Amino acid sequence: MKIFLSSFFFAALLISCTHSEIKDAGSFKPVSVKLEYGPVDKLISSELRVENIPQYIAVLKVKNSPEEKNLKKVSDYIFRNMESKIKNDFAQAYRLWVFSRKLNYNNSEIKKDFISITKKLSDASLKNGHIKESLNTLLVLKSLEPEKKEIGEKLHGVIRWLQDIDRVRMNNCLKKGRNLKQCIVTLTGDNILREAIYTEVSTDAISLYRGYLKYVHDTDINEKLISRKLRGGNVLKSYLVDRLTGLLLMGDNPRKQFQEMLKSTKELNEINGYLAGILMRLTATEDNIEAINQLSVYLTERLGVNISKNSCRLYNKGYEVLKKICNIKFSLSDTTSSIVARNQLVDIINNDNLSLSAWKSLYDISYKRFSLFAEREYISEALKEAKYIKFLSKRAGLIWKDNTAFSTALLRAMLSTIHLLRGDVKSARSELISSFEMNKSPGVLSQLFQLEFWEKNYKQAARYMEMFSTLDVNKGYSLYLLMKAARKNSIVNEKLGDFEKARRIRTAAAMYFKDLYKNISDKTMRSRILIDTGELYFDLGNPEIAVQLFQHALYIDGSCSNYREIIKALITWKKSGMAIDMFNAFSGKSKCSDKSKLYVALSILPSAVRDGKKKYEYASVLEYLEKYEGKNWLMLLSGLVRGKVTCKEVLGKADNLGKKTEGEFYCGLYAWSTGDEKQAFSRFQSTLENKIYNYIEHEMAFWFLRYKSISKTAAPK
């Protein structure tokens, strides 16, 4: 399993496309270029997998897709899995249904199957009180079978329930003088109905949402709302004005209706001066692109993308390209639309080479696809995307020679992770060096240090550490990465014979993190600092403080990644009892993937047995492994740590270097649990020799081997 990829890997997701169309930004040449469409994935149909369904649908949505013949096969697979999970794993069944909505239902047989499974899911939703799921399935059924009265009756019942419960909440809040903002947050129906406004059912959903707001707040939702007296005063008015703006945006003539709102400009300024300013700029001229962008951002934050995406309708004639790019931007969050969206961007660019927004959006979506494939270790698909990104960079460079938006520095850093998955250290190093030469990024320098550390090139690793002080950009981030590398940097100095410096590095990092913690407010960053500091205290021989820091980190931010990182540290320091307790909390978090939970369980079970825990103490971990259903390889690893499958069988099925690395590591853990320490550490050494440096198994094997040999030192005061 790969370690959480570097901040670099996800930086691609931060490249944003805006509405601004700048044709003269930077240095550009009046040349004509012609782009090709990007690569279209082939379905990996030999082993259909639930987690790949968005990609299957993305391929099938492409016009004249070569995989169109597989539409029935994929839909049958989705429907079959959905039906099997309705009773025992409803959340997963609903997730599959959400994806299945995006299939092409021109095929009457598939449409019939979809309606049938939607009815079953809808009935299960109603039976078990899943309101959001009930509403969405009934809205879809109503759009497909509008003549069925019983569907409308069921839908009316769900809406009435939402209206009644939220009306009671609001009345109680107003009568008892509670904090109105806090009361509004508790309104169940508002979020559910806004999320239900998607294209296929928007007309019905908008009507229901307007009716809900009127019933709950006892007032008509129209332009006169602004000057009307409400029991909730301006707090309630501000909440309703946001919703009114969203509803008008989805109406027939939003600009004209915004002008009606502005007849009460004085009152609107008192309620929400920022929104009033946006609407005034928007209605003053028909080509205020900045105002459209501001309204889009504002409504996305307040009401969500299902409503804010309608801001694309505000572009008038003469701005067709911007309108298309706007619509594509909102589809970028939808994995199943990525190929279609990219093809549309290519068409826009081929018609207008100087559409900078289209170029940036095309770059963005291609990076996202590369990241997705690399994360899932579909190496050949990731490399195809990388090749296409390089092609885009060269073409863009013909027009905008100096525009850093089209640099391949980020891509090269990301490609290093792909090469490491193959154990190709030479290519990974080459990509990182090229990337660093382009942009002198502290993140890339950190990756170079890590690479040389794992390669035992300690002198070069030390030189990279010294280079952090010479970087001119982002010095604060550089210092943070320098301190974050303290554990390995101290080992580098030990290997070079300077044990006193090694201790000073650990102590200085612990003190730095302590000071940094006091001066930041971001909970994610604060929790990460506590974990980093806890790991340093483990190394310094004070696990009690480390555990306290870990517990506080989870109290601040109980994210999936924090749980995984802390459990990993606890296992390496033989704190399996505490790791089990944390797993029990982690396994109940619905937002964390089954795959990540499985890998954690694979490490905990043999570690608990190794540490002499009783069977009842690790029963929950064992039960999770026994019930897990997923990829064949993961099922095999589950059998291995439970003693149901031999190491020989597992390694015989390891058909790539990544699987061999995982196989060796979990064979080592299992051997350790049986008391065969010699074989265990031999397996851990083999894990390191595979050189898959971005696997968490490599990291853990290293610390197991190190902790076996080091002596503990006192913690800093």
Side-chain angles (χ1 to χ4, degrees):
M1 181 185 183
K2 292 194 300 300
I3 295 177
F4 325 113
L5 301 175
S6 67
S7 57
F8 242 46
F9 196 84
F10 290 110
L13 304 184
L14 302 178
I15 303 171
S16 62
C17 56
T18 67
H19 294 318
S20 58
E21 184 69 2
I22 308 171
K23 295 190 177 183
D24 58 351
S27 171
F28 74 89
K29 300 178 182 178
V31 297
S32 177
V33 300
K34 192 76 173 176
L35 294 185
E36 303 166 3
Y37 291 128
V40 176
D41 337 317
K42 289 185 177 179
L43 291 185
I44 309 169
S45 52
S46 58
E47 185 184 356
L48 286 171
R49 300 172 185 169
V50 170
E51 66 266 26
N52 288 341
I53 284 174
Q55 280 66 60
Y56 299 154
I57 297 174
V59 176
L60 293 167
K61 288 183 70 167
V62 178
K63 190 176 182 180
N64 300 320
S65 168
E67 296 290 346
E68 199 167 347
K69 60 184 180 297
N70 284 313
L71 177 59
K72 186 70 168 65
K73 180 178 180 179
V74 173
S75 63
D76 285 347
Y77 175 77
I78 297 175
F79 298 152
R80 187 169 62 251
N81 270 273
M82 199 188 306
E83 188 162 12
S84 69
K85 295 177 182 297
I86 285 177
K87 288 185 179 180
N88 301 320
D89 191 353
F90 182 85
Q92 180 73 314
Y94 181 73
R95 179 172 173 268
L96 291 175
W97 178 79
V98 170
F99 288 133
S100 71
R101 285 189 335 215
K102 298 163 186 174
L103 284 169
N104 183 350
Y105 291 114
N106 292 332
N107 183 307
S108 59
E109 187 178 355
I110 296 177
K111 182 177 180 180
K112 181 180 178 183
D113 292 340
F114 175 70
I115 290 174
S116 174
I117 197 68
T118 302
K119 286 180 178 178
K120 291 178 182 178
L121 190 66
S122 181
D123 289 342
S125 303
L126 289 167
K127 182 178 179 181
N128 295 292
H130 299 301
I131 302 302
K132 179 181 78 172
E133 293 81 358
S134 299
L135 177 68
N136 282 305
T137 51
L138 287 168
L139 278 169
V140 168
L141 287 172
K142 188 173 184 295
S143 69
L144 293 172
E145 298 184 316
E147 73 283 357
K148 296 289 181 70
K149 290 184 179 180
E150 64 270 23
I151 295 174
E153 291 170 356
K154 289 179 180 178
L155 184 58
H156 177 76
V158 171
I159 294 298
R160 191 69 193 203
W161 184 88
L162 287 171
Q163 289 176 335
D164 287 342
I165 194 169
D166 283 349
R167 185 182 174 98
V168 169
R169 284 173 176 163
M170 278 302 297
N171 285 336
N172 286 340
C173 184
L174 291 166
K175 286 179 181 178
K176 296 179 181 179
R178 294 174 182 168
N179 186 310
L180 194 55
K181 288 184 178 180
Q182 292 180 1
C183 293
I184 287 171
V185 172
T186 67
L187 298 179
T188 306
D190 190 276
N191 287 330
I192 290 177
L193 282 162
R194 279 189 287 109
E195 289 176 7
I197 301 174
Y198 49 89
T199 305
E200 296 86 348
V201 298
S202 61
T203 302
D204 287 330
I206 292 169
S207 175
L208 292 172
Y209 186 43
R210 187 183 285 272
Y212 160 86
L213 291 171
K214 178 180 179 180
Y215 183 85
V216 171
H217 302 291
D218 199 23
T219 186
D220 289 322
I221 310 301
N222 55 33
E223 295 85 339
K224 296 180 180 179
L225 166 72
I226 299 169
S227 56
R228 199 177 298 143
K229 286 189 176 182
L230 299 179
R231 285 192 296 167
N234 279 356
V235 172
L236 182 58
K237 271 191 184 181
S238 177
Y239 161 83
L240 290 177
V241 163
D242 283 345
R243 278 128 189 92
L244 171 63
T245 305
L247 289 168
L248 295 181
L249 182 64
M250 295 183 286
D252 295 332
N253 192 337
R255 286 181 184 274
K256 182 178 180 180
Q257 290 176 300
F258 289 154
Q259 287 173 341
E260 288 296 315
M261 282 181 68
L262 290 171
K263 288 181 178 179
S264 304
T265 300
K266 182 180 178 181
E267 292 90 340
L268 185 56
N269 265 317
E270 291 177 1
I271 298 167
N272 188 331
Y274 180 73
L275 177 61
I278 293 175
L279 296 181
M280 283 189 284
R281 290 190 293 276
L282 189 65
T283 54
T285 173
E286 292 192 347
D287 59 356
N288 194 323
I289 309 304
E290 183 182 2
I292 296 175
N293 187 40
Q294 289 172 338
L295 183 64
S296 172
V297 172
Y298 178 83
L299 292 180
T300 296
E301 181 184 345
R302 298 297 181 98
L303 305 178
V305 296
N306 284 355
I307 292 176
S308 65
K309 67 183 180 183
N310 289 276
S311 61
C312 301
R313 300 171 59 224
L314 295 173
Y315 288 103
N316 293 310
K317 290 181 179 180
Y319 293 91
E320 286 82 2
V321 170
L322 283 178
K323 186 173 185 177
K324 286 181 181 179
I325 295 173
C326 178
N327 284 316
I328 290 169
K329 186 198 80 167
F330 281 106
S331 73
L332 292 183
S333 60
D334 177 3
T335 308
T336 63
S337 300
S338 62
I339 303 176
V340 175
R342 181 160 67 181
N343 289 352
Q344 292 172 343
L345 287 166
V346 169
D347 289 337
I348 290 171
I349 291 170
N350 285 339
N351 287 327
D352 178 7
N353 280 179
L354 298 183
S355 178
L356 185 58
S357 294
W359 277 99
K360 288 183 176 181
S361 298
L362 181 58
Y363 228 59
D364 181 32
I365 198 170
S366 298
Y367 264 117
K368 286 181 178 179
R369 287 176 55 76
F370 170 83
S371 300
L372 178 68
F373 289 132
E375 173 72 7
R376 295 191 175 178
E377 298 187 24
Y378 296 154
I379 294 177
S380 61
E381 287 83 0
L383 291 175
K384 287 178 186 176
E385 292 292 335
K387 183 179 179 181
Y388 187 65
I389 292 169
K390 289 180 178 179
F391 162 77
L392 293 178
S393 178
K394 287 181 179 179
R395 290 292 187 273
L398 294 174
I399 304 173
W400 290 283
K401 185 178 179 181
D402 303 321
N403 197 316
T404 57
F406 307 113
S407 167
T408 58
L410 175 62
L411 177 66
R412 290 181 181 280
M414 294 163 70
L415 273 172
S416 69
T417 65
I418 296 292
H419 293 307
L420 288 177
L421 291 175
R422 293 175 158 179
D424 186 354
V425 175
K426 182 179 179 181
S427 295
R429 180 186 286 117
S430 176
E431 295 287 6
L432 287 172
I433 290 173
S434 296
S435 177
F436 186 70
E437 288 174 349
M438 289 180 181
N439 65 3
K440 297 296 186 288
S441 163
V444 177
L445 186 59
S446 177
Q447 287 178 289
L448 280 165
F449 164 75
Q450 298 275 350
L451 183 63
E452 300 306 342
F453 172 83
W454 290 127
E455 281 290 285
K456 300 182 181 179
N457 296 329
Y458 298 121
K459 288 185 178 180
Q460 182 59 48
R463 282 193 284 271
Y464 281 137
M465 282 288 98
E466 291 170 0
M467 288 173 64
F468 272 101
S469 62
T470 68
L471 296 180
D472 294 328
V473 294
N474 209 338
K475 288 185 177 293
Y477 183 50
S478 296
L479 180 59
Y480 171 72
L481 290 178
L482 177 67
M483 293 301 177
K484 190 173 176 61
R487 298 179 75 204
K488 293 183 179 123
N489 190 16
S490 62
I491 295 173
V492 166
N493 282 274
E494 287 175 0
K495 295 295 183 180
L496 296 176
D498 195 339
F499 291 89
E500 179 57 32
K501 184 176 180 181
R503 177 174 174 76
R504 289 201 307 270
I505 287 170
R506 292 190 185 99
T507 305
M511 296 301 101
Y512 164 80
F513 285 134
K514 182 179 178 181
D515 291 339
L516 182 61
Y517 180 85
K518 294 177 182 177
N519 292 293
I520 59 173
S521 58
D522 181 77
K523 69 174 186 178
T524 300
M525 190 66 178
R526 284 168 69 88
S527 66
R528 185 61 255 179
I529 288 169
L530 290 171
I531 295 171
D532 288 335
T533 311
E535 290 175 337
L536 283 166
Y537 272 97
F538 263 136
D539 290 350
L540 288 161
N542 200 328
E544 291 78 15
I545 292 180
V547 168
Q548 291 174 16
L549 291 170
F550 289 162
Q551 290 172 331
H552 191 52
L554 290 177
Y555 174 77
I556 293 174
D557 181 15
S559 66
C560 305
S561 58
N562 281 354
Y563 268 101
R564 292 195 302 263
E565 187 71 12
I566 290 172
I567 291 172
K568 179 193 77 173
L570 293 172
I571 290 171
T572 54
W573 272 92
K574 297 187 177 182
K575 300 285 185 182
S576 56
M578 189 167 293
I580 293 169
D581 292 339
M582 290 195 176
F583 174 79
N584 291 336
F586 175 55
S587 62
K589 296 179 76 68
S590 59
K591 291 184 179 180
C592 304
S593 71
D594 291 339
K595 182 179 177 181
S596 66
K597 293 173 186 176
L598 177 83
Y599 273 106
V600 169
L602 289 174
S603 298
I604 292 178
L605 180 64
S607 300
V609 177
R610 172 200 67 188
D611 295 345
K613 300 299 179 186
K614 303 296 183 183
K615 189 172 181 178
Y616 72 86
E617 293 180 275
Y618 56 78
S620 59
V621 182
L622 180 60
E623 182 182 13
Y624 187 88
L625 290 168
E626 289 173 339
K627 290 183 176 181
Y628 178 81
E629 293 182 3
K631 295 180 183 178
N632 295 338
W633 173 249
L634 298 182
M635 299 281 283
L636 203 61
L637 292 179
S638 173
L640 169 65
V641 298
R642 290 183 288 121
K644 305 296 183 182
V645 181
T646 67
C647 279
K648 184 177 180 181
E649 290 175 282
V650 170
L651 294 173
K653 295 284 187 181
D655 55 7
N656 60 50
L657 197 57
K659 288 181 179 178
K660 288 176 183 176
T661 299
E662 291 183 345
E664 288 285 2
F665 178 76
Y666 293 108
C667 280
L669 272 184
Y670 180 70
W672 208 357
S673 73
T674 65
D676 190 347
E677 188 172 295
K678 182 179 179 181
Q679 183 191 165
F681 286 97
S682 174
R683 296 284 189 187
F684 296 149
Q685 187 60 45
S686 296
T687 302
L688 297 184
E689 289 168 0
N690 285 332
K691 296 190 175 184
I692 307 291
Y693 297 149
N694 48 352
Y695 265 38
I696 199 170
E697 289 80 9
H698 181 97
E699 179 98 6
M700 291 181 73
F702 169 81
W703 290 111
F704 280 144
L705 290 166
R706 174 167 173 79
Y707 291 153
K708 184 186 176 207
S709 60
I710 64 172
S711 58
K712 296 180 179 180
T713 56
K717 302 295 183 182

